[in-house]
Amino acid sequence: MTTIVPTADIVRTADGVPLKVKLRRAERMRKIRAVSLIAPLFLFLAVTFVMPIGIMLFRSVQNPEVSQILPRTAQAIQQWDGEGLPGEDVVAAFIADLRAAKEAKTHGKVAKRLNYDLSGFRSLTLQTARRLPPPETPPSELLDKLIEIDKRWGETRYWATIKKAAPPYTMFYLLAALDRNFDVKGNVIHAPPEVSIYIDVLERTFWMSFIVTAVCFLLGYPIAYLLATLPTKHSNLLMILVLLPFWTSLLVRTTAWVVLLQTQGVVNDAAVALGLWSERIQLIHNRTGVYVAMVHILLPFMVLPLYSVMKGISFTHMRAAASLGANPLRSFLKVYVPQTMPGIGAGILLVFIISLGYYITPALVGGPRDQMISYFIAFHTNTSVNWGMAAALSVVLLFCVMIFFGIYNRFVGIEKMKLG
Amino acid sequence: MSQNNEALVQFIGVEKTYDGEVLAVKNLNLEIHRGEFLTLLGPSGSGKTTTLLMLAGFETTTHGDILLKGKSITKVPPPKRNFGMVFQDYALFPHMTVQENLAFPLTARKVPKAEIEKKVARALEMVRLAGYQTRRPNQLSGGQQQRVALARALVFEPQLVLMDEPLGALDKQLREQMQLEIKHIHEHLGVTVLYVTHDQIEALTMSDRIAVLHQGEIQQLATPTKLYEEPENSFVADFIGKNNRFAGNVLEINRSNCKVEIDGGATVEALAVKVGGVGSRTLLSLRPESVVLDPPDGLCPNRFEARVEELIYLGDHIRARVSVCGNDEFVITVPRTGNAPRLEVGQTINIGWQSQDCRALEVP
């Protein structure tokens, strides 16, 4: 008899190899195959999704203009305490940097960046760059020369703005996205009311998303219920009606609403003809138009998750409830609705999150007071080309979505979510 | 079995059609006695579930009336009928605990809270699941779920419990165990039960009376013993238990007995249960266990030579397929123990049977 001395803790196979090692070996090939199948998708996602978004979000804290284009100034101004006016060396460095920037034609960027913080700085910088004192001017006279060019150089806040803009990374954009700013001492303060719009926009975004989600739920639940309970023949037709708009371009659907809802449009014509209202009313380029179009577009996102959950609920549950003495309303509320909770959660989460980031529809059918946060992200990306601000607003939006997602996960559980 | 012959439920000429063309239930007249265990037995499509659903109120009756204690209930909505119901898929509410499931019919009836606790505990004890209150249905095995469903259908003390193939989803052993359990609960509580199944063993095990349904009509309504031993037509004879059949013509009728010339040529003496006059067609029905091997002289009027075609070992007995009088589907059962002869395929044996065991029935 061969004696394999059994060690107490390790389970071994017949040939003495520990079972765990053997298992790893046996499973290795499968693991390698699985990883190599996933690798292309993983790379694709990393290159086209994670990286660009990461870079874009990173811009919300990047602050390269002053530190790169005015490097000597950026360094020298750190020594200044922000009281009174900076010393000779700072002014000398600023003039030298500005001269170099003008030659390199990069001074416009700095001017624009400084203007974000303090309006009027753009023209000041450009003007000054055109009339810089000659290089041989003694350093002690430089500040007076600058004040000669524009007396604003004699004010502390302009120099303080340069100091604030000097570090290569900053919270400036993120604070601005929440209507906050730094004062000269580095304390967080409220931005002046004339530029404080983003908190309002954020509130509006949440409120509009909430209304759209609520209306979608109220309209979508009965539709999903019908879809799940009608005989297949009828439910297929209904399903096509739900999906047909889903397959149509978003732009087409939105512009179709413009045609329908405008003052001389079909809806107003019909309502006036039927006597529902006597004078044509404004239905588009206001909140009503945005709600109508958004609900229409987002309804399938509510219906489909609800439908998939309702399809799985056995109709004998309702019969059982009835046989146990519950009237139809009680059966519905106590037996049916609780079982559709995963679908309700998924539908609400989906519609709410998509609404938070809605851009095209409010832009086309809404008025200036109906624009959501995405509009301002697009505005800063395309029109004002203030990418730092666009990135900061994106970070705020992403953060809000994550918070909402977290709340959902805490109370409903993401593993219970069922999509389509 | 506290059963008397007072009718709790009466079906009076009930008919049901789903499409206006085919009758799922034809002219059904049936009485369910108070306290009895009545089973509707039949193949799928025989109308048994439809009958149950009409009684429960989930299907409308196309024609006829259903009376509960003499009063029509066809217009009473299901929640007001006060019948317990057990479904094949249990229909336990997955988002509720066992306690909440059982409390559901009681809260719907506005029973006080303290009493609910007591009733639920008692009902769970009855199905031997005491202490399972906080479990959820998906934490229970199939058998336990079915017991909870049973307890839920009984906890509000309904006058009638309807069961629609409640054991269909369980495996064989559990099913047999549950059959006995349901039977004992019925005997203990004295509640009236209408049970629907396609499983004849289940029906025979539990029922006081069985109604065999076929194509929407009751074929025979009788006690299990009568149904098995004295089937009134060939459908019942075929559906319940194993059955050997011969088709033939009636040669002569002599009081309760008759002589039949079967299509293979031989003449058989049988009990005339339902035959037309002399010369009419008939179907003879004979249980395999009524066939005697090597019958002693003079015992059986019907004696034939048979050839063994196939032997099937079934543990407690052996089933032999033999060829006799031109019928090679003829089945006999041979006990495995005792001094029964050992059979071999191809062997020729003598078999015989009593004329009263062979029932001459009408041709369907």
Side-chain angles (χ1 to χ4, degrees), chain A residues 314 316 319 322-324 330 334, chain B residues 58 79 83 89 95 107 109:
Chain A
S314 164
T316 54
R319 281 192 172 170
S323 79
L324 294 169
R330 190 188 173 84
K334 296 273 174 180
Chain B
F58 296 123
F83 299 155
D89 65 354
H95 58 292
T107 43
R109 286 173 175 75

Side-chain angles (χ1 to χ4, degrees), chain B residues 183-254:
Chain B
K183 187 180 159 87
H184 294 153
I185 287 172
H186 166 247
E187 285 164 6
H188 179 69
L189 296 179
V191 65
T192 313
V193 177
L194 180 67
Y195 194 96
V196 162
T197 184
H198 64 267
D199 183 335
Q200 39 147 330
I201 303 294
E202 206 163 287
L204 294 174
T205 308
M206 298 195 281
S207 316
D208 295 325
R209 288 195 303 161
I210 299 172
V212 179
L213 264 78
H214 181 51
Q215 294 178 343
E217 284 177 298
I218 293 184
Q219 303 294 317
Q220 189 173 356
L221 173 61
T223 62
T225 323
K226 248 185 124 77
L227 210 57
Y228 186 84
E229 289 173 8
E230 299 165 29
E232 273 172 15
N233 63 35
S234 59
F235 176 81
V236 176
D238 272 344
F239 193 72
I240 313 264
K242 286 271 163 216
N243 185 40
N244 293 309
R245 45 200 287 183
F246 292 108
N249 296 316
V250 180
L251 282 181
E252 57 172 271
I253 302 177
N254 176 17

Side-chain angles (χ1 to χ4, degrees), chain B residues 21-296:
Chain B
E21 287 166 15
V22 185
L23 279 173
V25 173
K26 292 175 202 160
N27 192 22
L28 178 78
N29 290 291
L30 175 68
E31 280 190 3
I32 304 173
H33 301 152
R34 188 182 292 276
E36 85 169 329
F37 196 119
L38 180 74
T39 297
L40 300 179
L41 174 66
S44 55
S46 60
K48 55 190 192 307
T49 297
T50 304
T51 306
L52 180 114
L53 291 178
M54 282 192 290
L55 180 54
F58 296 123
E59 294 290 354
T60 54
T61 53
T62 314
H63 178 79
D65 208 354
I66 302 174
L67 307 183
L68 176 73
K69 294 186 210 156
K71 278 193 211 117
S72 172
I73 54 164
T74 44
K75 298 237 158 36
V76 179
K80 298 244 153 64
R81 294 198 183 189
N82 206 30
F83 299 155
M85 198 159 172
V86 185
F87 299 85
Q88 178 169 5
D89 65 354
Y90 320 133
L92 294 177
F93 306 138
H95 58 292
M96 296 184 190
T97 61
V98 169
Q99 164 82 29
E100 288 163 339
N101 263 289
L102 261 68
F104 188 84
L106 300 173
T107 43
R109 286 173 175 75
K110 303 198 167 55
V111 176
K113 233 180 162 187
E115 208 173 320
I116 289 180
E117 294 277 327
K118 250 185 274 169
K119 287 194 175 194
V120 168
R122 212 182 310 143
L124 280 178
E125 216 166 287
M126 179 182 67
V127 294
R128 300 191 288 118
L129 282 177
Y132 279 68
Q133 275 93 332
T134 56
R135 303 278 191 99
R136 284 189 186 270
N138 60 11
Q139 296 169 315
L140 302 174
S141 69
Q144 289 170 331
Q145 289 186 40
Q146 191 51 277
R147 286 207 208 119
V148 173
L150 191 61
R152 189 179 66 176
L154 292 166
V155 72
F156 58 100
E157 291 155 25
Q159 49 200 330
L160 175 65
V161 179
L162 311 176
M163 303 196 191
D164 187 7
E165 310 219 11
L167 308 181
L170 302 180
D171 60 60
K172 189 168 178 290
Q173 268 197 329
L174 205 53
R175 202 155 64 215
E176 284 171 3
Q177 187 192 334
M178 284 299 292
Q179 285 166 11
L180 288 178
E181 232 164 274
I182 292 175
K183 187 180 159 87
H184 294 153
I185 287 172
H186 166 247
E187 285 164 6
H188 179 69
L189 296 179
V191 65
T192 313
V193 177
L194 180 67
Y195 194 96
V196 162
T197 184
H198 64 267
D199 183 335
Q200 39 147 330
I201 303 294
E202 206 163 287
L204 294 174
T205 308
M206 298 195 281
S207 316
D208 295 325
R209 288 195 303 161
I210 299 172
V212 179
L213 264 78
H214 181 51
Q215 294 178 343
E217 284 177 298
I218 293 184
Q219 303 294 317
Q220 189 173 356
L221 173 61
T223 62
T225 323
K226 248 185 124 77
L227 210 57
Y228 186 84
E229 289 173 8
E230 299 165 29
E232 273 172 15
N233 63 35
S234 59
F235 176 81
V236 176
D238 272 344
F239 193 72
I240 313 264
K242 286 271 163 216
N243 185 40
N244 293 309
R245 45 200 287 183
F246 292 108
N249 296 316
V250 180
L251 282 181
E252 57 172 271
I253 302 177
N254 176 17
R255 282 198 202 142
S256 63
N257 279 17
C258 62
K259 276 209 171 114
V260 177
E261 184 189 17
I262 57 177
D263 293 351
T267 303
V268 175
E269 214 173 278
L271 186 71
V273 180
K274 245 187 192 171
V275 287
V278 173
S280 64
R281 293 289 288 171
T282 181
L283 259 180
L284 300 182
S285 154
L286 177 66
R287 296 286 181 206
E289 63 274 15
S290 306
V291 178
V292 185
L293 267 179
D294 278 331

Side-chain angles (χ1 to χ4, degrees), chain A residues 290-311:
Chain A
V290 177
Y291 286 150
V292 168
M294 279 183 75
V295 164
H296 171 238
I297 290 159
L298 290 172
L299 202 53
F301 291 99
M302 181 65 79
V303 171
L304 293 178
L306 278 173
Y307 166 73
S308 86
V309 170
M310 288 176 176
K311 200 73 193 159

